[in-house]
Amino acid sequence: MGKRVLVVGGVAGGASAAARIRRLDAEASITVFERGEHVSFSNCALPYYLSRTVEDKDYLVMMTPEGFKASYDIDVRTNNEVLKIDRNRRMVLVKNRITGEEYEEAYDELVLSPGSAPIRPGKIEGISLPHVFTVRNVTDIVKLDSYVRQAKSSNVAVIGGGFIGLEVAENLKEAGMNVSVVEAARQVMAPFDQDMSQILHKELSDHGIELILSDGVKAITEEKVILNSGREVAADTVVLAIGVVPETGLAKDAGLEIGETGAIK
Ligand SMILES: Cc1cc2nc3c(=O)[nH]c(=O)nc-3n(C[C@H](O)[C@H](O)[C@H](O)COP(=O)(O)OP(=O)(O)OC[C@H]3O[C@@H](n4cnc5c(N)ncnc54)[C@H](O)[C@@H]3O)c2cc1C
């Protein structure tokens, strides 16, 4: 019998690793566990569903569990979360998030690719209100999209002027919303030089997006975002795009080393 390989996480890292392992080893038994509803989706295209540049949410998903089975003989289990790693017994404890059932699986090799989660700072008042969204996966973007369309939201505040914040802002504007971008730094897109970011500031302004720089969020209410400066931004929908934090809980719990950036080494 071939080696038993388990992969935790089924998006860019996990799905690619599983496919690569199959190419290297025709005999291996490969299982991918993904906590979410989908594997192998196009994160990069998510914001473009808001404007229907990507017309159908199904186009966001590149590969299904059935496709993995048929093309690579890989067993992909969505809605299945790995809760614990027992390195001595070479076992993982898995929870089926649909049935609630917990079960163990043995491994010879274990690949961790749990990615990173959007930051949601606990200390901001109103951060858990139902109209405050983050964007990581297909489920998130469909939720945000349904909310803005069904609630007939008109004013959206996007917090964070990085790649994801600007893409979300662009596409919500395209979808007909009034969009404000709030950025704590003096410019959007931190990796760019200041003079280059001025071009982006003008582009946002030319498209009618309100840009607020050098200010942060103090509190969120149902109708507005209150900034540190005291300024208030009308918002019936808020999207947080202020960065991500590596998912290291499983690895730390298993005694694995964490690197200097705070991710799994
Ligand atoms: C809106 C958006 C737009 C983006 N656009 C671009 C772009 O244009 N270009 C670019 O290069 N990058 C882009 N990115 C970044 C890119 O998507 C990420 O770099 C990439 O998704 C990282 O892949 P990953 O597999 O490491 O992690 P993730 O995508 O975070 O996937 C990890 C998966 O592991 C699962 N998981 C975690 N823990 C467990 C567990 N214990 N059990 C089971 N499953 C678990 C999670 O549910 C998650 O689905 C974008 C990201 C977003 C959110």
Side-chain angles (χ1 to χ4, degrees):
M1 192 163 121
K3 225 192 257 175
R4 178 117 183 85
V5 183
L6 304 184
V7 180
V8 182
V11 190
S16 315
R20 180 76 184 136
I21 292 163
R22 168 58 70 229
R23 289 193 191 101
L24 295 171
D25 185 348
E27 302 300 318
S29 147
I30 306 168
T31 303
V32 177
F33 299 99
E34 169 53 53
R35 182 176 55 204
E37 290 176 79
H38 304 95
V39 276
S40 199
F41 53 87
S42 169
N43 313 60
C44 310
L46 293 176
Y48 295 87
Y49 175 61
L50 296 167
S51 60
R52 296 297 185 270
T53 305
V54 172
E55 291 163 16
D56 193 313
K57 63 179 178 350
D58 292 345
Y59 299 161
L60 297 167
V61 181
M62 317 317 293
M63 190 78 164
T64 59
E66 294 74 25
F68 268 106
K69 188 73 198 161
S71 303
Y72 299 106
D73 191 22
I74 292 172
D75 175 15
V76 172
R77 303 186 195 167
T78 51
N79 295 301
N80 275 259
E81 179 172 7
V82 174
L83 299 178
K84 224 172 182 29
I85 304 167
D86 184 336
R87 290 167 70 193
N88 292 328
R89 291 168 59 232
R90 290 186 167 244
M91 288 276 198
V92 292
L93 175 67
V94 187
K95 179 171 186 170
N96 180 323
R97 286 161 63 100
I98 304 286
T99 62
E101 176 209 0
E102 290 187 11
Y103 59 96
E104 284 190 316
E105 288 287 353
Y107 63 83
D108 297 308
E109 309 272 356
L110 179 66
V111 179
L112 295 183
S113 185
S116 45
I119 294 172
R120 201 180 251 270
K123 58 184 190 302
I124 295 177
E125 192 188 320
I127 200 94
S128 302
L129 285 167
H131 67 300
V132 181
F133 297 86
T134 53
V135 176
R136 179 183 189 180
N137 54 35
V138 178
T139 308
D140 293 340
I141 207 76
V142 170
K143 244 202 256 175
L144 169 62
D145 182 76
S146 317
Y147 188 86
V148 292
R149 284 168 196 271
Q150 279 163 22
K152 306 242 181 308
S153 165
S154 45
N155 298 313
V156 183
V158 176
I159 315 302
F163 286 100
I164 294 174
L166 291 192
E167 288 186 354
V168 167
E170 174 193 352
N171 284 284
L172 285 172
K173 187 70 198 173
E174 187 90 8
M177 314 290 153
N178 296 323
V179 181
S180 308
V181 172
V182 179
E183 165 57 55
R186 286 197 306 148
Q187 65 173 73
V188 299
M189 296 295 297
F192 286 23
D193 287 346
Q194 254 256 311
D195 53 345
M196 291 294 109
S197 65
Q198 299 308 323
I199 300 170
L200 299 175
H201 297 171
K202 179 172 184 312
E203 191 72 11
L204 288 164
S205 162
D206 287 351
H207 283 81
I209 294 177
E210 184 186 25
L211 176 61
I212 299 159
L213 297 171
S214 307
D215 214 341
V217 177
K218 191 169 159 201
I220 301 170
T221 72
E222 266 147 31
E223 309 91 39
K224 61 189 178 215
V225 174
I226 303 161
L227 303 183
N228 290 329
S229 63
R231 185 169 172 177
E232 296 185 351
V233 180
D236 40 38
T237 303
V238 178
V239 182
L240 293 176
I242 53 175
V244 295
V245 60
E247 291 220 26
T248 51
L250 199 58
K252 276 185 188 160
D253 193 41
L256 293 170
E257 207 176 335
I258 300 301
E260 61 186 42
T261 64
I264 301 167
K265 191 164 182 180

